[in-house]
Amino acid sequence: MAITVLIADDQAMVRQGFGALLAAQPDISVVGDAQDGKIAVAEAKRLRPDVVLMDVRMPEMNGLDAARLILAAGFEPPVRVLMLTTFDIDDYVYEALSIGASGFLLKDAPAEELVRAVRVVADGQALLAPTVTRRLIADVTRRRSAARAKPAPALTSLTPREREVLELIAKGMSNTEIAESLFVAEQTVKTHVSKVFSKLNLRDRAQAVVLAYESGLVTPG
C-alpha cells in the first residue's frame, strides 16, 4: 500500500512543490495539505495519514503545538510527524523530538532526501538532518552541564546487550550497521530494539537518542 502523506506549510508554493514531488513516487500518495497548524491537526484526525510533513513556523498554531496534539491523540496505526524548517537554528528541535516527532529535515534538502525521509519515517524509524543532529547533541550537552544528568531509572531494566544496542542507536547506526558491529543477525537487532523501546516507553529512534544523551549513557565525541 502507498504511504499516505499530509503536507502542512503556510506557503502554497511549498505545499504544491513537495506535493508534486512526492505524488510522483509510485509508493507515496499525498492525501491532503494544510496552511496552518489548526487545519493540520483537523486534517490529521480526519485523514489519518502515515506521515505529516509539518512546517515549524505557521500562523494560527505553530508546527510544534500541532505536532504535540497529533502525537498525543494516540492514533492506531500511528500518525508520524516529520518537522520541516527553513533554517537549522530553530529552538524547537529538542522539544519536538521529546514529544515524539520522528525527526527534522531542512526544506532545502535535495529532493531525493525528502523522499527518503518520508519512507524512513513511515517505516517507524527516526530521521535527523546531520546539522540538526549535531545541534541536538550540543543542546543536550549544555543541559547536562547546567544540571548534572542522572541515569534514567528505566535503564536498569535493560540487559547489557540492550544497553549496547541503545548506545549504537544514539550514535546514529541503522539496524544493519548495528548487526555488523555486534556480529549478529539483523533480525536479532530488531528484536533488541523492540525490547528497548518497550522497556523505556519510547516511540522511535529520535526519542532513544534524546534519552541516551540525557541520561549520560552516551556522551559527545
Side-chain angles (χ1 to χ4, degrees), residues 150-182:
K150 295 181 180 180
L155 290 183
T156 59
S157 67
L158 302 182
T159 66
R161 176 62 89 185
E162 289 166 354
R163 288 174 66 95
E164 190 173 11
V165 168
L166 177 57
E167 289 181 37
L168 296 178
I169 290 173
K171 292 178 180 178
M173 289 190 179
S174 66
N175 287 348
T176 300
E177 292 169 332
I178 293 174
E180 293 174 352
S181 175
L182 300 179

Short mmCIF file of all heavy atoms in Angstrom, two decimals, residues 150-182:
data_model
loop_
_atom_site.label_atom_id
_atom_site.label_comp_id
_atom_site.label_asym_id
_atom_site.label_seq_id
_atom_site.Cartn_x
_atom_site.Cartn_y
_atom_site.Cartn_z
N LYS A 150 21.34 12.45 35.61
CA LYS A 150 21.35 11.20 36.35
C LYS A 150 20.80 10.12 35.44
O LYS A 150 19.85 10.35 34.69
CB LYS A 150 20.47 11.31 37.61
CG LYS A 150 20.99 12.32 38.62
CD LYS A 150 20.09 12.36 39.86
CE LYS A 150 20.62 13.36 40.87
NZ LYS A 150 19.75 13.42 42.08
N PRO A 151 21.38 8.91 35.49
CA PRO A 151 20.88 7.84 34.63
C PRO A 151 19.39 7.61 34.84
O PRO A 151 18.90 7.62 35.97
CB PRO A 151 21.70 6.63 35.09
CG PRO A 151 22.95 7.22 35.68
CD PRO A 151 22.50 8.50 36.33
N ALA A 152 18.65 7.47 33.76
CA ALA A 152 17.22 7.21 33.86
C ALA A 152 17.00 5.89 34.58
O ALA A 152 17.63 4.89 34.23
CB ALA A 152 16.60 7.18 32.47
N PRO A 153 16.13 5.85 35.59
CA PRO A 153 15.88 4.60 36.33
C PRO A 153 15.53 3.43 35.42
O PRO A 153 15.92 2.30 35.68
CB PRO A 153 14.70 4.98 37.24
CG PRO A 153 14.84 6.46 37.43
CD PRO A 153 15.34 6.96 36.11
N ALA A 154 14.81 3.73 34.34
CA ALA A 154 14.37 2.66 33.44
C ALA A 154 15.54 1.95 32.77
O ALA A 154 15.40 0.80 32.34
CB ALA A 154 13.42 3.22 32.39
N LEU A 155 16.69 2.62 32.68
CA LEU A 155 17.84 1.99 32.03
C LEU A 155 18.27 0.73 32.77
O LEU A 155 18.86 -0.17 32.18
CB LEU A 155 19.02 2.97 31.95
CG LEU A 155 18.88 4.14 30.98
CD1 LEU A 155 20.15 4.97 30.97
CD2 LEU A 155 18.56 3.65 29.57
N THR A 156 17.99 0.66 34.06
CA THR A 156 18.39 -0.52 34.83
C THR A 156 17.61 -1.76 34.41
O THR A 156 18.00 -2.88 34.73
CB THR A 156 18.15 -0.28 36.33
OG1 THR A 156 16.76 0.00 36.56
CG2 THR A 156 18.98 0.90 36.82
N SER A 157 16.51 -1.56 33.68
CA SER A 157 15.71 -2.70 33.22
C SER A 157 16.30 -3.34 31.97
O SER A 157 15.88 -4.43 31.56
CB SER A 157 14.27 -2.27 32.94
OG SER A 157 14.23 -1.39 31.82
N LEU A 158 17.27 -2.67 31.35
CA LEU A 158 17.87 -3.19 30.13
C LEU A 158 18.96 -4.21 30.42
O LEU A 158 19.69 -4.09 31.40
CB LEU A 158 18.47 -2.04 29.31
CG LEU A 158 17.56 -0.90 28.87
CD1 LEU A 158 18.35 0.09 28.04
CD2 LEU A 158 16.36 -1.43 28.10
N THR A 159 19.06 -5.19 29.56
CA THR A 159 20.16 -6.14 29.66
C THR A 159 21.42 -5.45 29.13
O THR A 159 21.33 -4.44 28.42
CB THR A 159 19.87 -7.39 28.82
OG1 THR A 159 19.85 -7.01 27.43
CG2 THR A 159 18.55 -8.04 29.21
N PRO A 160 22.61 -5.98 29.41
CA PRO A 160 23.84 -5.39 28.87
C PRO A 160 23.80 -5.25 27.35
O PRO A 160 24.24 -4.24 26.80
CB PRO A 160 24.92 -6.36 29.32
CG PRO A 160 24.39 -6.92 30.61
CD PRO A 160 22.92 -7.07 30.36
N ARG A 161 23.25 -6.25 26.67
CA ARG A 161 23.19 -6.18 25.21
C ARG A 161 22.21 -5.09 24.75
O ARG A 161 22.48 -4.37 23.79
CB ARG A 161 22.75 -7.53 24.64
CG ARG A 161 22.56 -7.55 23.14
CD ARG A 161 23.88 -7.23 22.40
NE ARG A 161 24.64 -8.44 22.16
CZ ARG A 161 25.85 -8.48 21.62
NH1 ARG A 161 26.45 -7.35 21.31
NH2 ARG A 161 26.48 -9.62 21.43
N GLU A 162 21.10 -4.95 25.45
CA GLU A 162 20.13 -3.92 25.09
C GLU A 162 20.71 -2.53 25.31
O GLU A 162 20.46 -1.61 24.51
CB GLU A 162 18.84 -4.11 25.90
CG GLU A 162 18.04 -5.33 25.46
CD GLU A 162 16.96 -5.73 26.45
OE1 GLU A 162 16.88 -5.12 27.54
OE2 GLU A 162 16.20 -6.67 26.15
N ARG A 163 21.49 -2.35 26.36
CA ARG A 163 22.15 -1.05 26.59
C ARG A 163 23.14 -0.76 25.47
O ARG A 163 23.26 0.37 25.01
CB ARG A 163 22.88 -1.05 27.95
CG ARG A 163 21.95 -0.99 29.15
CD ARG A 163 22.75 -1.14 30.44
NE ARG A 163 23.63 -0.02 30.68
CZ ARG A 163 23.33 1.03 31.43
NH1 ARG A 163 22.15 1.10 32.02
NH2 ARG A 163 24.20 2.00 31.61
N GLU A 164 23.82 -1.80 25.03
CA GLU A 164 24.79 -1.64 23.95
C GLU A 164 24.07 -1.23 22.66
O GLU A 164 24.54 -0.35 21.93
CB GLU A 164 25.53 -2.96 23.74
CG GLU A 164 26.73 -2.86 22.81
CD GLU A 164 27.54 -4.14 22.78
OE1 GLU A 164 27.06 -5.18 23.30
OE2 GLU A 164 28.66 -4.11 22.22
N VAL A 165 22.93 -1.85 22.40
CA VAL A 165 22.15 -1.51 21.21
C VAL A 165 21.66 -0.06 21.30
O VAL A 165 21.71 0.69 20.32
CB VAL A 165 20.96 -2.47 21.04
CG1 VAL A 165 19.98 -1.96 19.99
CG2 VAL A 165 21.46 -3.86 20.66
N LEU A 166 21.21 0.36 22.48
CA LEU A 166 20.76 1.73 22.66
C LEU A 166 21.89 2.72 22.40
O LEU A 166 21.69 3.76 21.77
CB LEU A 166 20.21 1.93 24.08
CG LEU A 166 19.77 3.35 24.44
CD1 LEU A 166 18.70 3.86 23.48
CD2 LEU A 166 19.24 3.39 25.88
N GLU A 167 23.07 2.41 22.87
CA GLU A 167 24.23 3.28 22.63
C GLU A 167 24.49 3.43 21.13
O GLU A 167 24.76 4.54 20.65
CB GLU A 167 25.47 2.70 23.31
CG GLU A 167 25.46 2.79 24.82
CD GLU A 167 26.74 2.22 25.43
OE1 GLU A 167 27.81 2.41 24.81
OE2 GLU A 167 26.67 1.58 26.48
N LEU A 168 24.40 2.34 20.40
CA LEU A 168 24.67 2.38 18.97
C LEU A 168 23.57 3.12 18.21
O LEU A 168 23.84 3.81 17.23
CB LEU A 168 24.84 0.95 18.43
CG LEU A 168 26.04 0.20 19.01
CD1 LEU A 168 26.10 -1.23 18.46
CD2 LEU A 168 27.35 0.93 18.70
N ILE A 169 22.33 2.99 18.68
CA ILE A 169 21.24 3.76 18.09
C ILE A 169 21.53 5.25 18.26
O ILE A 169 21.36 6.06 17.34
CB ILE A 169 19.89 3.41 18.76
CG1 ILE A 169 19.44 2.01 18.37
CG2 ILE A 169 18.82 4.44 18.37
CD1 ILE A 169 18.21 1.55 19.12
N ALA A 170 21.95 5.63 19.47
CA ALA A 170 22.23 7.04 19.78
C ALA A 170 23.38 7.58 18.95
O ALA A 170 23.49 8.80 18.73
CB ALA A 170 22.52 7.19 21.26
N LYS A 171 24.25 6.68 18.49
CA LYS A 171 25.37 7.11 17.66
C LYS A 171 24.99 7.18 16.19
O LYS A 171 25.82 7.43 15.33
CB LYS A 171 26.55 6.17 17.86
CG LYS A 171 27.15 6.29 19.26
CD LYS A 171 28.30 5.31 19.48
CE LYS A 171 28.88 5.45 20.89
NZ LYS A 171 29.95 4.48 21.16
N GLY A 172 23.70 6.93 15.91
CA GLY A 172 23.21 7.10 14.54
C GLY A 172 23.28 5.87 13.66
O GLY A 172 23.08 5.96 12.45
N MET A 173 23.54 4.71 14.23
CA MET A 173 23.65 3.50 13.43
C MET A 173 22.28 2.92 13.07
O MET A 173 21.35 2.95 13.87
CB MET A 173 24.45 2.42 14.18
CG MET A 173 25.92 2.70 14.30
SD MET A 173 26.79 1.24 14.94
CE MET A 173 28.48 1.83 14.97
N SER A 174 22.18 2.38 11.86
CA SER A 174 20.97 1.69 11.43
C SER A 174 21.00 0.26 11.99
O SER A 174 22.02 -0.19 12.52
CB SER A 174 20.92 1.64 9.90
OG SER A 174 21.98 0.82 9.41
N ASN A 175 19.90 -0.45 11.84
CA ASN A 175 19.86 -1.84 12.31
C ASN A 175 20.91 -2.69 11.61
O ASN A 175 21.55 -3.55 12.22
CB ASN A 175 18.47 -2.44 12.09
CG ASN A 175 17.44 -1.91 13.05
OD1 ASN A 175 17.78 -1.26 14.03
ND2 ASN A 175 16.17 -2.16 12.77
N THR A 176 21.09 -2.44 10.32
CA THR A 176 22.09 -3.21 9.56
C THR A 176 23.49 -2.94 10.09
O THR A 176 24.29 -3.87 10.27
CB THR A 176 22.02 -2.83 8.06
OG1 THR A 176 20.71 -3.12 7.56
CG2 THR A 176 23.05 -3.61 7.26
N GLU A 177 23.79 -1.68 10.36
CA GLU A 177 25.12 -1.32 10.87
C GLU A 177 25.35 -1.89 12.27
O GLU A 177 26.45 -2.33 12.60
CB GLU A 177 25.28 0.20 10.87
CG GLU A 177 25.32 0.80 9.47
CD GLU A 177 25.22 2.31 9.47
OE1 GLU A 177 24.61 2.87 10.41
OE2 GLU A 177 25.73 2.94 8.53
N ILE A 178 24.29 -1.88 13.09
CA ILE A 178 24.41 -2.44 14.43
C ILE A 178 24.68 -3.94 14.35
O ILE A 178 25.52 -4.48 15.08
CB ILE A 178 23.14 -2.17 15.26
CG1 ILE A 178 22.99 -0.67 15.51
CG2 ILE A 178 23.17 -2.93 16.59
CD1 ILE A 178 21.68 -0.28 16.19
N ALA A 179 23.97 -4.61 13.46
CA ALA A 179 24.16 -6.05 13.28
C ALA A 179 25.60 -6.37 12.88
O ALA A 179 26.22 -7.31 13.41
CB ALA A 179 23.19 -6.59 12.23
N GLU A 180 26.14 -5.57 11.97
CA GLU A 180 27.53 -5.78 11.54
C GLU A 180 28.51 -5.51 12.67
O GLU A 180 29.50 -6.22 12.84
CB GLU A 180 27.83 -4.87 10.35
CG GLU A 180 27.05 -5.24 9.09
CD GLU A 180 27.27 -4.24 7.96
OE1 GLU A 180 27.89 -3.18 8.21
OE2 GLU A 180 26.80 -4.50 6.83
N SER A 181 28.21 -4.47 13.47
CA SER A 181 29.09 -4.11 14.58
C SER A 181 29.11 -5.18 15.66
O SER A 181 30.17 -5.47 16.26
CB SER A 181 28.66 -2.77 15.17
OG SER A 181 29.42 -2.44 16.30
N LEU A 182 27.96 -5.79 15.93
CA LEU A 182 27.84 -6.77 17.01
C LEU A 182 27.99 -8.21 16.52
O LEU A 182 27.93 -9.14 17.33
CB LEU A 182 26.49 -6.61 17.71
CG LEU A 182 26.22 -5.24 18.36
CD1 LEU A 182 24.85 -5.23 19.01
CD2 LEU A 182 27.30 -4.93 19.40
#
